[in-house]
Amino acid sequence: LWSRYLDAWHAVGAGGTPAAPPYLAIVAALASLLFGSTGLAVTVLLVASVPLAGFTAYFASRPLVTSRLLRAWAAIAYAFLPAATGALAGGRIGTAVLAVLLPLIARAGIAASGLASSSGARGSWRATWAYALLLTITTAFTPIVWPIALVLGIAVLAVRRADLAASGLRLLVQLGTPLLILAPWSLTLLPFGFFKEAGLEYGSSAASALDLLGASPGGPGTVNGLMLVGVVLAALAALLRSERQSAIRTAWAVALVGLVFAVLSNKSTWAGPATLVYGIAILSAAALGADGARSRVAEQSFGWRQPVAALVAFASAAGPLLLAAGWMIAGADGPVERRDPAQVPAFVAEDSTTTDQVRTLVLDGDSTARVSYMLVRGSGARMGDAEAAAADGENATLDKVVANLVAGSGADQADQLGGFAVRYVLVHKGTPRDITRVLDATPGLSRLSQQNGGALWRVDQQVSRATIVSANGSGTPDSVPAGPVEIHTTVPTGADGRILRLADSASPDWTATLDGKPLTRTTVDGWAQGFELPSSGGKLDVTYDTPFTHSAWLWAQGALAVVLVVLALPGRRRDVDDDLPEEQPIPAQAVEGEGRRARRLRAQAEAEEESQETPEDTDFPEAAPAAPAASDEETPAAVPHQQPYDEWDPASYPAADGYDTGYADQYQGTGTGQYQTGGYDQQTYDPYQTGQYDPYAYGGQQGQGAYDPTYQQGYDPAYDPAAQHHQGTGGEHHDGSQQ
């Protein structure tokens, strides 16, 4: 996978122009791993782009309208836009990828700009990074989305000029990230290279003004712009709605920007990517206008509005349905067609794996005036090879050789083809018969076979990718065993002035050593890579090394891409609790089979309850529990004023029934307000045994047990017996509550 990545993305070619991003090579590598066929993978990707585009459109339209029927209509209409079906028919993988990701880009862009917030809050950074990630991917496939995002970003800055610093920083991140991640290729797009698309060019658009207005870019797989005129009318009618004008005007602003770029790109390239932006915008405006339209029309009296609304609704629904039906019936009829996946015969592909590393020249064309050719090695070309070859520039020498070969100039074509390591010439089915007759008459070529309308010829001489030739070009070249790229072999001794010639374009990245000593680089025949060999032999090593800075930048790009993905990942919502189940309460009683943890938690809970019921280190005895509530006829007595302890007079309180005032006298001191600790005779007086009422007993009850003599030792002198005495006589606590 990584080797194919590097092969399709070596930045410096013959002219020093960086190649296109290697995403096509990545797709080809993954396809070869999963399917074993890049053609099948591309077909799956292109065909799957239609339902995937509809799915992403339905998903992204959830916050736009609430009606499921409207969201389904918008998803179907978007999936079968002429730009999407035209991309499938023409094999335009860049537009197909944009069709899948564009609804997600629109949703992320709205969130990143803060336009979705009714309070005017700025967009979140996660939405900004997600928008930057999606914009980076789509810019690699269809660079035109970057200037469209630039224009729309400037418009957002104008709207949110009150928060210019924060909005400007977010716009800088959104637009600067694609240029940084895709550098140095992205720098070659400035200023007018954004109209390109991934893959080789397939002509410009042939769309008229009416086609562009109806979101049709023209070309194979598209329809006339009148098919979607109902959607355009529905989008225009949405401007008459009084509600949600901000969203509708935003959709129309995007539509106008997309339409302008579609007009600009229509003359030079295919306008499909720009018309996709225009199409999704007018669909959004139409969906906003149709949301709740039936109830609004029904509230008005019958007039011209009802028939017009019915006609617009019918045209809006019929157009996408007809497009979908036509696509399902006719299929992807266009330049893309079903062919044999094997580009060359099996024995030719096997012969190219030998140490000679020979190649095959494949010819194809509809007339003798213009013939296309392809130089392949192995079983055939892989996805990304054409882009890499186009980035290296055209080979004028090979163009001249092929032109002379097809025209039958009579020159020694076999020697010229051998210079490019061409051993076989293959003519595809459908090529004019005049070309096959010329090849039959060409010296040095022998027809090998003819099958299914195609024909194969062989060059009648020894051909090899690496050869040793003389400086003046005389003599027979000697073949050198070589690999697909590098050469590691032993060369014999020879004459002075010999040259190692490679059938590859000259490049400063080629290096060669003989027994560790570097060889002098030279150019052979004006285009081929060569090295000057000494007369002595030895160990020959030829390598192709990209600059260290280029390899380091590739790894840096990979690291930046990983960081960008991490920054764009959705975060956890703050208002949502975790996904852990609620903790089950511990049963009050032990159950059979419970674990040790449950028993420990129950014991801990019981200990906490006991500690709450029994206060520790208190200076006062526990309050007596409340007595049964009094009857309705009884009224609680008022709490009299409490006298201080030093002014307490036992004579002022009448004795209760069975109360012995001498009992309190025994506790009274000698006038100092203190009790005598040893003045109480526990043996001569025991109220618990006589059955008399003891106000100091717990709860005011009699006969609850023997008196504890240790109680007197812990008695607090600050205790006020007057309050407790009043409790025994008045039937209330000092705070007024009933006993």
Side-chain angles (χ1 to χ4, degrees), residues 499-524:
I499 295 176
L500 174 67
R501 183 185 185 279
L502 305 180
D504 298 292
S505 299
S507 172
D509 297 330
W510 288 106
T511 58
T513 60
L514 186 65
D515 290 336
K517 298 179 181 180
L519 300 178
T520 304
R521 185 182 297 106
T522 185
T523 303
V524 183

Side-chain angles (χ1 to χ4, degrees), residues 645 667-677 717-718:
Y645 175 71
Y667 284 87
Q668 188 176 3
T670 58
T672 60
Q674 301 291 335
Y675 286 99
Q676 297 179 2
T677 58

Side-chain angles (χ1 to χ4, degrees), residues 24-80:
L24 297 181
I26 294 177
V27 173
L30 294 177
S32 63
L33 294 176
L34 298 178
F35 306 103
S37 171
T38 56
L40 176 61
V42 173
T43 303
V44 171
L45 179 61
L46 288 172
V47 176
S49 63
V50 172
L52 284 177
F55 173 77
T56 54
Y58 184 83
F59 169 77
S61 62
R62 286 192 299 177
L64 191 65
V65 292
T66 58
S67 174
R68 293 184 177 180
L69 182 61
L70 274 179
R71 296 207 306 266
W73 166 79
I76 294 175
Y78 174 75
F80 292 98

Side-chain angles (χ1 to χ4, degrees), residues 376-537:
V376 300
R377 182 178 58 192
S379 59
R382 299 176 302 185
M383 181 177 290
D385 289 348
E387 287 78 6
D392 288 338
E394 297 180 357
N395 193 318
T397 304
L398 183 58
D399 292 343
K400 185 177 180 180
V401 170
V402 174
N404 293 333
L405 177 65
V406 174
S409 61
D412 189 4
Q413 306 298 334
D415 290 340
Q416 296 183 8
L417 292 176
F420 290 90
V422 175
R423 179 173 292 179
Y424 299 97
V425 178
L426 177 65
V427 177
H428 275 165
K429 179 182 179 180
T431 305
R433 296 294 302 272
D434 293 340
I435 296 179
T436 60
R437 296 191 185 99
V438 170
L439 293 179
D440 287 333
T442 301
L445 294 182
S446 300
R447 183 192 286 260
L448 294 182
S449 63
Q450 183 173 358
Q451 186 178 4
N452 297 330
L456 180 67
W457 287 263
R458 178 189 176 98
V459 177
D460 297 333
Q461 68 179 24
Q462 181 63 29
V463 175
S464 180
R465 172 176 171 258
T467 56
I468 298 178
V469 298
S470 61
N472 54 12
S474 61
T476 302
D478 297 328
S479 299
V480 177
V485 178
E486 298 182 353
I487 300 175
H488 302 283
T489 186
T490 302
V491 296
T493 58
D496 293 334
R498 56 183 184 167
I499 295 176
L500 174 67
R501 183 185 185 279
L502 305 180
D504 298 292
S505 299
S507 172
D509 297 330
W510 288 106
T511 58
T513 60
L514 186 65
D515 290 336
K517 298 179 181 180
L519 300 178
T520 304
R521 185 182 297 106
T522 185
T523 303
V524 183
D525 297 335
W527 67 274
Q529 180 65 55
F531 295 94
E532 297 179 0
L533 287 175
S535 58
S536 61

Side-chain angles (χ1 to χ4, degrees), residues 179-524:
L179 295 181
L180 177 63
I181 298 296
L182 301 177
W185 169 79
S186 58
L187 302 180
T188 63
L189 301 176
L190 299 173
F192 302 110
F194 291 98
F195 297 107
K196 299 178 181 178
E197 185 179 351
L200 297 178
E201 296 182 1
Y202 186 74
S204 59
S205 294
S208 62
L210 185 60
D211 291 337
L212 294 179
L213 188 62
S216 177
T222 61
V223 295
N224 192 278
L226 291 175
M227 293 293 294
L228 295 178
V229 65
V231 178
V232 179
L233 293 177
L236 289 173
L239 294 173
L240 304 177
R241 182 177 179 179
S242 59
E243 303 89 357
R244 306 191 68 177
Q245 277 296 309
S246 176
I248 295 174
R249 291 174 182 174
T250 300
W252 264 108
V254 177
L256 292 178
V257 172
L259 183 60
V260 169
F261 277 91
V263 173
L264 294 177
S265 60
N266 185 45
K267 298 301 181 181
S268 58
T269 60
W270 194 54
T275 54
L276 266 180
V277 177
Y278 170 70
I280 194 174
I282 62 173
L283 284 174
S284 301
L288 288 170
D291 191 17
R294 185 171 64 176
S295 60
R296 295 196 305 270
V297 174
E299 291 174 356
Q300 301 176 359
S301 58
F302 185 80
W304 62 271
R305 294 181 179 87
Q306 284 79 3
V308 172
L311 290 176
V312 171
F314 174 78
S316 301
L321 292 179
L322 290 176
L323 290 177
W327 181 82
M328 289 184 291
I329 294 174
D333 188 14
V336 177
E337 60 183 10
R338 183 184 300 273
R339 281 192 176 184
D340 190 352
Q343 296 176 346
V344 298
F347 74 93
V348 174
E350 183 65 23
D351 191 14
S352 64
T353 60
T354 61
T355 57
D356 291 336
Q357 296 294 323
V358 296
R359 297 163 182 167
T360 303
L361 179 65
V362 181
L363 301 178
D364 196 358
D366 297 333
S367 65
T368 57
R370 183 178 181 84
V371 178
S372 61
Y373 70 92
M374 179 172 52
L375 193 63
V376 300
R377 182 178 58 192
S379 59
R382 299 176 302 185
M383 181 177 290
D385 289 348
E387 287 78 6
D392 288 338
E394 297 180 357
N395 193 318
T397 304
L398 183 58
D399 292 343
K400 185 177 180 180
V401 170
V402 174
N404 293 333
L405 177 65
V406 174
S409 61
D412 189 4
Q413 306 298 334
D415 290 340
Q416 296 183 8
L417 292 176
F420 290 90
V422 175
R423 179 173 292 179
Y424 299 97
V425 178
L426 177 65
V427 177
H428 275 165
K429 179 182 179 180
T431 305
R433 296 294 302 272
D434 293 340
I435 296 179
T436 60
R437 296 191 185 99
V438 170
L439 293 179
D440 287 333
T442 301
L445 294 182
S446 300
R447 183 192 286 260
L448 294 182
S449 63
Q450 183 173 358
Q451 186 178 4
N452 297 330
L456 180 67
W457 287 263
R458 178 189 176 98
V459 177
D460 297 333
Q461 68 179 24
Q462 181 63 29
V463 175
S464 180
R465 172 176 171 258
T467 56
I468 298 178
V469 298
S470 61
N472 54 12
S474 61
T476 302
D478 297 328
S479 299
V480 177
V485 178
E486 298 182 353
I487 300 175
H488 302 283
T489 186
T490 302
V491 296
T493 58
D496 293 334
R498 56 183 184 167
I499 295 176
L500 174 67
R501 183 185 185 279
L502 305 180
D504 298 292
S505 299
S507 172
D509 297 330
W510 288 106
T511 58
T513 60
L514 186 65
D515 290 336
K517 298 179 181 180
L519 300 178
T520 304
R521 185 182 297 106
T522 185
T523 303
V524 183

